[in-house]
Amino acid sequence: MDMMIAVILTIMTAATPLLLAALGELVVERSGVLNLGVEGMMVMGAVCGFGAALMTGSPWLGLFASIAAGMFMSLLFGFLTLSLVSNQVATGLALTLLGLGLSGQIGESFVGQPGVKLPNYDGFDPLIPFAILLAWGVSWFLFKTKAGLVVRAVGNSHASAHAMGYHVIRVRYLCVLFGGACAGLAGGYLSLVYTPQWIENMTSGRGWIALALVVFASWRPWRTVAGAYLFGAISILAFTVQTFAWGIPSQFLSMLPYLVTIIALVVISGNRMLTRANTPACLGQPFVPDR
Amino acid sequence: MNRGPEYLLEALHVVKVFGTLRANDDVTLKVKPGEIHAFLGENGAGKSTLVKMIYGALQPTSGEFRWMGQPVTIANPAAARKLGIGMVFQHFSLFEALTVAENVALAMPGDFDMAKLSEKIARVSKEYGLPLAPTATVADLSVGERQRIEIVRCLLQEPKLLIMDEPTAVLTPQEADQLFVTLTRLAKEGCAVIYISHRLEEVKRLCHNVTILRHGKVVANVDPARENAASLAKLMVGGDIHVVRGNRKHAAGDVRLKLDRLSLDPDGPFAVELKEISLDVRAGEVVAIAGVAGNGQSEFFDAVSGERILHRDSMLQIDGKPMGRAGVNARRKAGAAFVPEERLGHGAVPAFSLSENVILTRHASDKSLIRSGLVQRGDASGISHRVIKDFDVRKGKPDPEARSLSGGNLQKFVIGRELDRKPGMLVVNQPTWGVDAGASATIRQAIIDLSRQGSAVLVISQDLDEIFEIADRIAVISRGQLSDAYPADKLTAEKTGLLMAGEHEIKEVRHAAGA
């Protein structure tokens, strides 16, 4: 029984950073912006959160620093893609590279230092319920409020939204910033809760999995929760099976979450009925008002 | 009683410049309350630019607007709505993935109460004879229903001025009649209507006042009751229009294109399923397919052109040869030619030169263009020059990029490129969409001429005037089903309209009710 609870807790802990980052990206993509820089924003959140916690001794301040770092990175992305209308895909990829490089530089002196861990209750940390609450909040915001309706409208047809007098660029900036905050927090979770230390590239592709999760969940918050927990379970499974040494090469097991991501994406994308109904029609398209 | 200002809206010496183009040049006009005021003009005459400024979506370069006698600056659409100006766009400003009520909510200021709003939408839409289900998703609705959303959205704000941008271009004749009843009623209630159109009959029938624009300038302001269609047309075009003339007595030859129970599954949630379409197109005739947009025209074109492969070879036969599973190039080699609806991006690669675009559609069917894997640019530009000359394509550079041509000139080129091959069978989707009157006449004449030389021509169009001008036989597509093809002289616009609204379904319902 205790074993069961331990396993479930580990799965939740593995799922939470994926869920946080994916929920942020979901809102960004609902507004029609494709930010492929989740990995970069996450890793910056991780290093800044770790550093701030180390210097102040407060893991809570560390989390705030993570959020701020993620938002700073997303602001950079927003300025380039929304104000200067650069290509979103290329800019997102560059953001990831920038984040990975910059975090390595910032975190050079942090390597090997013991971190500050966020307080938890028998392994149950406050960010686990927060992430689920956030999913509820995002769902409520998108489908029950006027502001959420505007976000979906902007993502569905920016030209129409502009014609009706909505500020497409402003809405997208706010969504991109929210996405940055979520990705930063997800990164902070890694370095302050999951493994309270700083390791270079410690996000190890979780940002990409979060991106895939958004498609997997067909841009719906509750499906994102289900997806994140599923991926959390798979990565824990891979980890647990390794300890039994059944002769399966450990490399193959470590590969499992990524492999499942690819398979899930192919299956979901193949079903156009499912994806196209929810896909924001303006996803990745730059908007320039004609004035 | 206090008399209000005589004019609701005045435009005084309004100028709008885009780069080097003067889209509106010193436009002055006045709209009275309760008046249906037509803006008449050809494509590119500046009608849409003018109303966009009235609606606040664009700002004038110079000049001024007055609203109820007071000078105003209409900074954005929200400001226009506040004044009491509503607009129904030509290309609807709707959000396809959202519901009817959500679409309306986006245009409403103040409280956000979906339940209350849904109830209000149902009530107002019923009151004005524009039935709508508030919870329906826009993507599932017909074009006529979508237009109703836009109108209801405006009506909920109790406008003093309603702007309609070519509202009937997408409607069946019956839907248009219903719209006229609604607009007449609105005008009686004191709401002014600005009605943009290039359809003369409509303007004569509906409007109280006509302002005619040409090349961005107001050329006349007349009373439509005192004019006839010919005099209005002359003012609009600034000269007489060439009338397309076919040799009406066509001699139908062998069947060149045969569709035999052609079916195609939808490829997405918003796509249309084609159901058991059968049609013969013979040598020497033009068969037109009428229908309201979104009833399966694009799927039908994809199926016939080979962009989507069919399940069985026998579903499509070219000159008796089953080719349902053959791709585009194989069908082209068999003598077929295709012109899709979207000229830029589908019919031609925008960043490629015209001669390169010639290679793209003809590399498989014209052996001389590719020799041992190498492109023969000389031959390609020879063809390109011939098309440019034959179809009077106006351009800047000798071999310009496709995107630098105006819509009408590119359309002439795209159609000319296919006609130049003298294809045995031609399929065209929307041959003159968004093309000016002169280019339209050239294109229609060329299509008729091709058929008279023994080719089978299939035209998909939403323009009934065009269809009656060029077609020998007419079939109507509705929700993925095709009606029988009737001889054009035996079909009236009314009958076609009923078919467009899906008459065979009405019949089925009646039959079921009778049984």
Side-chain angles (χ1 to χ4, degrees), chain A residues 146 152-153 156 163-164 166, chain B residues 77 81 95-96 102 106 108:
Chain A
K146 173 93 180 250
R152 286 189 290 141
N156 189 242
M164 294 178 74
Y166 288 103
Chain B
R81 287 198 292 269
F95 305 94
E96 294 219 343
E102 284 175 335
L106 282 164
M108 304 295 285

Side-chain angles (χ1 to χ4, degrees), chain B residues 191-206:
Chain B
C191 176
V193 178
I194 290 180
Y195 189 89
I196 300 181
S197 184
H198 56 231
R199 297 192 179 182
L200 307 164
E201 288 302 328
E202 259 173 41
V203 167
K204 254 188 79 60
R205 194 174 134 197
L206 182 71

Side-chain angles (χ1 to χ4, degrees), chain B residues 247-288:
Chain B
N247 172 11
R248 267 297 162 205
K249 275 182 280 169
H250 75 283
D254 298 335
V255 176
R256 300 204 73 163
L257 171 69
K258 184 181 181 66
L259 305 179
D260 183 21
R261 283 166 288 138
L262 182 155
S263 298
L264 193 65
D265 298 330
D267 66 343
F270 308 142
V272 179
E273 179 190 353
L274 299 180
K275 295 169 208 149
E276 303 249 317
I277 290 180
S278 293
L279 180 72
D280 289 347
V281 187
R282 293 171 179 278
E285 70 170 350
V286 178
V287 175

Side-chain angles (χ1 to χ4, degrees), chain A residues 15-198:
Chain A
T16 298
L18 296 177
L19 181 55
L20 287 169
L23 284 172
E25 179 66 12
L26 186 146
V27 173
V28 176
E29 292 191 14
R30 276 280 185 180
S31 81
V33 179
L34 182 65
N35 185 352
L36 294 180
V38 179
E39 179 86 0
M41 300 189 293
M42 242 173 123
V43 78
M44 282 295 284
V47 74
C48 293
F50 183 87
L54 198 68
M55 282 175 228
T56 62
S58 160
W60 296 103
L61 280 177
L63 280 183
F64 276 110
S66 299
I67 293 173
M71 287 177 85
F72 170 77
M73 292 290 280
S74 67
L75 187 66
L76 186 65
F77 174 83
F79 179 69
L80 290 170
T81 58
L82 301 175
S83 297
L84 303 182
V85 203
S86 69
N87 182 299
Q88 291 180 10
V89 171
T91 311
L93 290 173
L95 195 71
T96 288
L97 294 176
L98 173 70
L100 289 172
L102 198 58
S103 64
Q105 191 67 34
I106 295 172
E108 218 179 348
S109 59
F110 301 156
V111 178
Q113 293 216 40
V116 185
K117 197 170 162 60
L118 200 73
N120 63 45
Y121 312 94
D122 294 330
F124 187 80
D125 64 82
L127 282 179
I128 292 175
F130 174 79
I132 294 174
L133 210 64
L134 188 68
W136 178 84
V138 166
S139 179
W140 176 79
F141 170 79
L142 281 177
F143 300 107
K144 295 282 182 234
T145 69
K146 173 93 180 250
L149 179 59
V150 173
V151 168
R152 286 189 290 141
V154 165
N156 189 242
S157 168
H158 49 217
S160 299
H162 175 71
M164 294 178 74
Y166 288 103
H167 298 275
V168 173
I169 300 297
R170 189 189 299 169
V171 169
R172 289 191 170 164
Y173 255 112
L174 291 172
C175 290
V176 164
L177 281 173
F178 176 77
C182 288
L185 183 62
Y189 188 89
L190 290 177
S191 65
L192 294 164
V193 181
Y194 199 65
T195 46
Q197 51 183 317
W198 167 250

Side-chain angles (χ1 to χ4, degrees), chain B residues 65 119 151 158 178 184 199 207 238 245 280 331 345 465 488 497:
Chain B
F65 287 107
E119 183 266 326
I151 299 172
E158 288 154 13
Q178 177 60 50
T184 309
R199 297 192 179 182
C207 300
R245 225 166 35 76
D280 289 347
R331 294 185 198 189
D465 295 340

